[in-house]
Amino acid sequence: MDHDTMSGNDFLGQLDINWSECYNNPAKWMINGEFKLGDPEKKCTDPTNPVKGIVYIQAKFLREDIDLDDMPQPSPHFSEPIPLKGKLKVHVICANGLRIGDDSSSDSFVKATMFGIKDSIKTDEIESLDPRWDHHQILDIDLPANTPPSNLICKVYDHDTLGSDEFLGLISIDWDDCVDNPGTWAVNKEFELTDPEKKAPSKNPVKGTLYVAMNWVPDGTIDDGSKPDDVCVDKNPPGKVQKRKSKKPDNVFRGKIKIRVFGAKGVKADEDGTSDPYCLCSISGQKGKFQTPTVSKRTNVIWDHKDELTVAVKKDATIGSLECKIYDDDTLSDDFLGKCYIDLQPTMDNPQKCVINDAFQLTSKDGKTDVEGEVYIQALFIPEEFTDTAGFMDNDPKLLAFEKAVKEGQAKKNSEMMAKKGKLKRAEEECDIQGVLKVRVVRGNNVRAADGSVSDPKCTLTIEPYAGKLETKKCKENLNPRFDFEGEFKFNIPSMSVLPKLKCLMVDVDWGGDDDLGGCEIDLVKSVENAGVCVVDGDIDLVDLTPNVKKDTPVSGTVYIQVIYFRKDQLGNAAIWPEPKEAIGMEEVAAKKTEGILKVRIVRANNLRGADDKGTSSDPSAVLKIDGLSGSIKGRKVKSNLNPVWNQEGEFKIVVPNVDKPPLMRCRVVDVDLGGDDYLGSCNINYSKCVKSPGKCCVNQEFVLENQEPKEKIDTPISGTIYIQAIFVTEASEAKSLSFPEPSPHKETTTTPEDKKEGVEESKKSPETTTTTKSEPKKPALPKSIKGVMKINLVRAKGLRIADSKTSDPKALVTIAKQKGKVEGKKKSKTLEPVWNQMGDIQINITDSSKMMPKLNVLIEDSDTFGNDYMGELNLSLVESVQKPGKCCINGFFGLEDLKPDSSKDTPVSGEVYIQAIFLSGEIAKSAVKFPAVK
C-alpha cells in the first residue's frame, strides 16, 4: 500500500507465496528472493498506472518448543540493477470500430506519451471510424538503474477545428516484454480502448480497438530494420486479414555463434563445501540465451554443453560480448558465483574457425574484481550463407589439460571433505572438552552514540576459530540497551588445544553499514573448570577492537554478560542464571529507583531557521522522545511559520533507576516536506528536578536548538529556541488533575555555552516558571522517618468483570508493601457489586521515605475451589495522607487496572473499588477514628 494520511491508502500490488518448503524444512531460510507484484483481484483501476515492481522477502518456519532461532539471516541477493538506454520503436498501425465524434464519422488521430520521456507521438488525422495510419516513430529512452519503465499511454481523439478535440478512448501499454526480449516486436497486438475517467458521454461511450507494435533496441544493439507482421483487420472487405513480411537489409552479417560450455573449476562453495553450479549464456545486443544443466555437489564441474545463438550485426559494427554467468542452484534464490565477458569479434573475422578456445577467469557482478574459479569456453561463427560443417576442438591440449585439472580438483575436494568428516569424528572421540557453552547477554550501559546523539545497538558473539555466531536483537535508539538474549555454542575441543575466547562485538545497526561500538573478549578457562556454575557474571568494559576504523566518538560503556559451561554429562541440566547485578557504579543509587508519569507540554518555538522559500519560511513540527522508550510526543505541523505555537501535551510512563541521572529526554524539530523532512535543530532536556520534586513544574523554560546531527545537510544555520514544560507524578490519576502554569513570554537573550546546556532561562530565575502561586498553600515535605497506623475502610466495589459463567465470587485484599498488617474483604458469592464495609489497620514503619515510599494496593480476585481468578487491582499514593495525618485523604471510588496482562482472562478487567484511608502518627495512632460518610 501507498500510505496517504488524508485520502486513504493506494493499492500498489500483492503477491502470494507458497511456504510449504519452509514447513518441510523447519529452521531454514527457505524463502529468500525477489517476487513480482501482481494484481490478481484487479484492485488497480487506473490503466495508465498498472501494478509493477518486485518485493524481496525472507522467511523461515520455527516449530514451537522444538526449533532454535539460531540460523543467521542470509544476505539478500538482489538482481543486478541495469539502466535502460536505447531506442523504443513504436508502430501505430490502425484502429477499428471507433465511436462517432462528429455527425457520422470522426477525424481520428492518436497521441502517445510516456511519463519521464520528453518525446511524444502524434499521427495524421484520418476521417474514418476504421483509420489506418501506419505511423512509425522512435522514442529515445534513458532511464537510470532501478527505475521501472513507464507505460506508453495512447489516446485517440476526434479533431475539431473550432472547439477542443473530442476524446475517443485510450490504451496503456506495458512494454516489459520488450525489455526482456530486445530486438523483437514483443508487443504486437490489438488493444481494447477504455475510458477510465468517464470523459465520453453515456449515450455515446468509448468503443473500438487500437493496433500498436513496439520493439526495444538497447544501446550497443544492431537494429536490423525489421517491421512488425501486420495482422490489422481491413474493413473493406470485412474480415480479411493482411500480413506484411518485413524485409531484411543487405548490409547485415547474419548467422549463428556455436558455443561449447565445457566446464568450470574452483568455483565458490556453500557452507557445506559444495555447490550446484550451472552456466547462463547470452550475447549483448542479440536475441536469445541458453542455460547448461545443473550438476549437484560440485565445485569442479564438466558440463560439455553445446548450444548456439543467432546473431545479426551490421557490416561496419562490432558484435557484443558473450556473457557467461555461473550460479549455484538453490530452491528459492540462486547464488551468484561469478561471470566473464568474452570478445566474439575474432569469431566474426574468422568464420567457421574455433578461434575462442580457453579458460576464462570469473569476476564479480561489477566485473572489477576476480572471484574464485574459471570457466572453459569454445566458440565459432557460422555465417547464414555457409554450410555448417565446422566443429569444436575435442582433442585440444588446453582442453584436455583443463579436463584433467577439473577431475583432480574435484577428487582433492572430495578427499578433503571426507578427511574433514573423519577428523571431526575422531576429534569428537578424542576431545577433553565436550559440552555446551550457554551465554546470556543482559544489557549494555552508556554505549557511545554513533548516530548523532543515539545508537541502535546489537551484539554479535563468536568463538574463533570455531564456526557459528549468536546475535541479539537490535535495540532502537538506546544508549542503555536491554537485550535479555540467551544462546549456546557446542564445544568439541581436542586435547592440548588452547582454550578459545568468547568474543562479543557491539555495533550500531544502519542500512548503509554498521558502526562499531566496541567489544570485549572473555576468558573461558574458569567457566570450563567450574562446569555448571555461572562464573562470568557482570559488566565488562567495551574496548576498541578495531582501532584502524574511523569513529566520530570514542568507544565507551559496558556490556553485561553471563556464561555457564555444561559438560557432556550435564547437558540435561537447565541454566539457572543469577539475578543480574546493578550496573557498575550504580549500587548505591539502586534503592532510589522511581517510577511514575512524566507529563510534558511542547509550548512553542521562536526564531526557527527557514528551510523553504529560500530560507524565509518553514512548516515546523517537534517530536519529544526519552532514551529507552518507544513512545513519543509530537507537535503537529504548523504551516509557513518560524514562531509556531503547539501547546501539545502528552505523557511518558517512566522508570528512573537514578533520580540524579534519569534517561535523557530529547527534542527534535523538523520542517515537514513531502519529499523528506528538513532538520531544524535539537535539544536535550534534563528533568531530574521534576523526579525529585513530584507535582512541581520544574522544567518550564526555553531551550536553545543546536545542530546535533552534523551529517544532515542544511542550507542555513540552526537557530531559535523551543519552550518545554514538564511535571513528574507517581500516580496516573494525579497526572490527569495537574495543569501547567502559564508559559513565560519569549525574551531575546544572548546565550552562553552554559545556557545551551540548561536552557535559556533557569526556572529559579523567573517567578513565572514555578507551579505554586500566592493562593496555593505549600505542602509540607515528607519526613525521612515515618511511623504510625493507616486506618482502612474497604467499603464496596461495582462493575466487576465476569470470571465464572455469568457472575463472580469476589474477595479483596488491602496491603502496603513491606508493612505489617492487611485488610481482607471476605468472599461474596455470585455478585459483581460486593459490599464489605471491612475496617482494619496496617502498621507503618518507613525508615527513609526518600528511598522508599510504598503504595496502598487493593487486589480483587474471584474465589474458586481450584484457584482464584484475577479480577484487577489498583495502587494509591500515600503521600498526601502522610502529609495530612488525621484527615481522610483517600475517600472514593478508584478504577481497577489490569496489572497482570499475561494472566489468562475470559473477559477484560473492569470496575471500581470504594475505599477510605486515614493516617495516624504519634500518640493519636492509638485513638479511634471516625470515617466520613460514604459518598
Side-chain angles (χ1 to χ4, degrees), residues 395-674:
N395 297 318
D396 183 80
K398 285 193 293 185
L399 179 72
L400 297 176
F402 186 86
E403 181 179 16
K404 182 179 179 181
V406 168
K407 293 179 179 179
E408 290 176 350
Q410 190 58 43
K412 183 179 179 182
K413 191 73 177 178
N414 293 342
S415 299
E416 289 175 354
M417 292 177 64
M418 293 298 293
K420 185 177 180 182
K421 290 180 181 179
K423 285 181 181 178
L424 289 174
K425 187 174 181 180
R426 288 193 301 274
E428 188 172 342
E429 294 170 353
E430 298 170 1
C431 277
D432 286 338
I433 304 174
Q434 297 184 40
V436 170
L437 188 78
K438 298 199 174 185
V439 183
R440 182 187 184 196
V441 184
V442 181
R443 62 169 183 256
N445 283 308
N446 302 320
V447 302
R448 82 175 185 91
D451 298 332
S453 57
V454 295
S455 286
D456 302 321
K458 179 184 80 171
C459 286
T460 301
L461 298 141
T462 56
I463 300 179
E464 297 179 354
Y466 296 94
K469 64 180 179 180
L470 303 174
E471 289 186 343
T472 70
K473 64 182 180 182
K474 177 183 82 172
C475 293
K476 192 174 181 181
E477 297 183 358
N478 204 324
L479 299 182
N480 298 285
R482 187 84 186 184
F483 300 111
D484 287 325
F485 168 83
E486 294 184 27
E488 62 181 41
F489 292 95
K490 291 183 178 179
F491 258 26
N492 283 302
I493 302 177
S495 306
M496 306 302 291
S497 295
V498 176
L499 196 64
K501 291 186 178 182
L502 174 66
K503 183 178 179 181
C504 174
L505 181 65
M506 189 181 295
V507 297
D508 165 53
V509 180
D510 284 329
W511 283 107
D514 298 343
D515 296 320
D516 183 13
L517 300 181
C520 63
E521 292 185 337
I522 302 170
D523 195 326
L524 301 177
V525 173
K526 290 185 178 180
S527 296
V528 173
E529 291 174 350
N530 298 272
V533 180
C534 185
V535 178
V536 177
D537 177 26
D539 284 288
I540 302 171
D541 289 332
L542 293 171
V543 297
D544 193 350
L545 298 179
T546 56
N548 295 328
V549 178
K550 186 178 179 182
K551 303 173 183 67
D552 297 330
T553 54
V555 169
S556 63
T558 60
V559 60
Y560 197 114
I561 294 180
Q562 296 176 319
V563 178
I564 304 177
Y565 171 72
F566 288 102
R567 295 190 308 270
K568 194 173 182 179
D569 59 337
Q570 297 175 314
L571 292 185
N573 299 348
I576 301 176
W577 302 107
E579 188 66 24
K581 306 167 189 174
E582 291 294 330
I584 296 173
M586 297 291 287
E587 294 87 348
E588 295 179 1
V589 297
K592 297 182 182 179
K593 183 183 288 187
T594 306
E595 58 182 289
I597 303 295
L598 185 69
K599 190 172 182 179
V600 184
R601 183 188 189 190
I602 309 173
V603 182
R604 64 169 187 259
N606 289 94
N607 302 327
L608 297 177
R609 83 173 184 92
D612 300 331
D613 300 330
K614 298 181 180 180
T616 61
S617 179
S618 285
D619 304 324
S621 171
V623 178
L624 276 172
K625 290 187 176 183
I626 293 180
D627 286 355
L629 298 184
S630 57
S632 64
I633 300 170
K634 185 173 183 180
R636 69 192 183 284
K637 168 185 171 184
V638 180
K639 196 170 182 180
S640 302
N641 202 324
L642 299 181
N643 299 284
V645 176
W646 292 291
N647 288 321
Q648 180 67 48
E649 296 185 15
E651 297 177 356
F652 292 105
K653 189 174 182 181
I654 61 173
V655 177
V656 182
N658 181 0
V659 294
D660 293 319
K661 293 181 180 180
L664 197 60
M665 180 160 60
R666 306 173 191 274
C667 180
R668 188 174 189 265
V669 185
V670 296
D671 164 53
V672 180
D673 286 329
L674 288 174

Side-chain angles (χ1 to χ4, degrees), residues 66-80:
I66 298 176
D67 297 319
L68 295 176
D69 191 5
D70 57 356
M71 180 175 287
Q73 188 170 352
S75 299
H77 296 285
F78 295 99
S79 58
E80 205 172 339

Side-chain angles (χ1 to χ4, degrees), residues 69 256 273 290 330 437 793 797 859:
D69 191 5
K256 59 185 178 182
F290 68 85
D330 287 333
L437 188 78
N793 182 18
L859 173 66

